[in-house]
Amino acid sequence: MLAGEQLVEEYVRAHPGSQKLHDRAVKHFAANGATHVVRILEPFRPYITHAKGSRKWDVDGNEYIDYIMGHGALILGHSHPAIVEAVQKQMAKGVHFGESHELEVELAELIKGMMPMAERVAFFSCGQEANMMAIRLSRVFTGRRKLLRFEENFHGWADELIHEGSAGILADEVSIIPSNDLHRVEAELSKGESAVLLSEGGGAFMNGRVPIDLDFVRALPDLTKKNGTIWVLDEVVTGFRDAPGGWQSVVGVTPDLTTLGKCVGGGLPIGAVVGRADIMEAFNPTTPPERRVVHSGTWNANPLVCSAGIAACKLYQDGEPQRKARERADYFRKEGNEVLKERGINGRLYSRTIVHLYLGPLEFEPSDDTLPPTKDIEKIMNPKMLPIQSRLCLHLLQRGIAAFDRGLFVLSAAHTREDIDQTVQALADSLDAMVAEDTLGKELING
Ligand SMILES: Cc1ncc(COP(=O)(O)O)c(C=O)c1O
């Protein structure tokens, strides 16, 4: 047997229950049995039965330290007692009244209390819906059609949001340009066609896989204002992960509209557009029909989601969970980078509470480990590294660490130092195994 095949065989042997479920799932879900693109993995990802804090367990009784963390939504960890209690109470009282209720008002007040730019609030079921509505509001407000956005930024899978070149993209009214290039933004905006500039908080892709230049971001409010364009900041990942005021409070910028999701729902599905009252006046029934935007959606502000969101936002207010998650992430990067350095592996962990693993040439040693060791976006996003990252992901799973298969680790306040120590050991063992089986790739090893 080839050394590389041994891992798959061992993994399959340790996951018989997951294998059975995967065999059933492939008959239903065309994406090799998966219900989300990031859950596709050869041979299959584990099927989970329950989760608590930083841990989750699969149908075969295997335990994992979880670094998916609800795709970034669970900064408090799994099944936080305050959220469980709130949701259980609400469940018994009713999940959908089809009427207005106090919980939606309370959640809006909590959001406004943390994010001062939120003059008005509108709720949706997910982050993408919030982005779609922010685009529509901007179009109606400006009377223009064009959406300007940046490469590598992720905003959802809808026609206008998906990556350039993807099947189904609606390209006619979308311009996609490189980030961090102010001249290019200025050139586009000065055409006077852009209704909206949409950009991702925290840098491109899950809180900064591709870092963003802060001077560039700080120039956007004036530039968009000058050119009559609405600036929408997508804080679906970063609000309120980076700070109680969102990433905008860390950087010191105020967008016209902010979109929120993930953490705001405390683990239940939510989206929100918040921002300028004059733009959101489009929802007012007294607004003339040609400028009015209708806001429907069966699940908007449903009591169950609001109950979880309130419990979560109350905990976010003092910044303590964010601080804790950041501290754990800092520790993980520090210890994990030692493992890479000791082995002479061309790779570094970087970024903030969502830690990214860069694999590729080290062009410099960053003094600040929130940044990758290169500024070259093509190297950061190098598709040739995906099979290597997937291989590492499987090695980690086999050692009880559940991360995304793109070298992406979502930290939470529930992770402990012991969790990180265990993870770093698993990372070291996985990398050693990959060197031994020759799946890491020669160019990633020095000397
Ligand atoms: C920055 C960003 N915006 C929007 C979305 C879409 O949010 P949702 O999946 O809740 O629709 C995501 C999802 O990961 C995201 O990372």
Side-chain angles (χ1 to χ4, degrees), residues 41-62:
L41 185 76
E42 278 298 330
F44 48 82
R45 288 193 72 100
Y47 281 74
I48 302 299
T49 53
H50 61 292
K52 177 85 188 140
S54 62
R55 307 259 166 167
K56 63 189 183 190
W57 291 264
D58 72 13
V59 288
D60 297 299
N62 298 305

Side-chain angles (χ1 to χ4, degrees), residues 103-114:
L103 297 172
E104 62 195 15
V105 181
E106 195 179 344
L107 183 56
E109 284 166 356
L110 279 162
I111 292 171
K112 288 174 85 163
M114 288 190 277

Side-chain angles (χ1 to χ4, degrees), residues 126-129 131 154-156 200 206 234 236-237 262 270:
C126 64
Q128 159 170 284
E129 279 186 16
N131 281 332
F154 182 77
H155 301 289
E200 197 181 335
M206 288 298 267
D234 177 341
V236 169
V237 172
K262 301 205 190 247
I270 198 166

Side-chain angles (χ1 to χ4, degrees), residues 67-69 71-73 205-209 237-238 241-242 262 325-326 329 332-333 350-357 370 404 407-412:
Y67 291 98
I68 308 283
M69 279 294 154
H71 296 222
F205 189 60
M206 288 298 267
N207 207 357
R209 188 168 198 101
V237 172
T238 52
R241 169 171 282 279
D242 277 47
K262 301 205 190 247
R326 178 61 191 265
F332 177 43
R333 284 195 311 274
Y350 67 99
S351 202
R352 298 178 303 277
T353 63
I354 298 182
V355 174
H356 297 268
L357 173 62
T370 63
F404 283 97
L408 207 155
F409 301 78
V410 180
L411 274 293
S412 76

Side-chain angles (χ1 to χ4, degrees), residues 22-44:
H22 174 69
D23 292 346
R24 282 167 61 192
V26 290
K27 296 181 188 140
H28 312 304
F29 310 126
N32 193 26
T35 49
H36 189 298
V37 61
V38 301
R39 294 175 204 150
I40 302 173
L41 185 76
E42 278 298 330
F44 48 82

Side-chain angles (χ1 to χ4, degrees), residues 141-142 144 148 182 185-186 188-198 216-232 254-257 276 278-279:
F141 190 77
T142 60
R144 301 175 181 173
L148 182 62
L182 213 49
V185 177
E186 203 158 10
E188 283 292 327
L189 293 182
S190 63
K191 291 178 192 164
E193 295 170 353
S194 297
V196 50
L197 171 67
L198 177 62
F216 171 80
V217 179
R218 290 182 181 124
L220 296 180
D222 282 349
L223 208 53
T224 44
K225 191 169 180 209
K226 187 175 118 194
N227 290 286
T229 299
I230 301 303
W231 179 33
V232 176
T254 305
D256 299 302
L257 297 174
R276 274 172 50 187
D278 56 345
I279 301 173

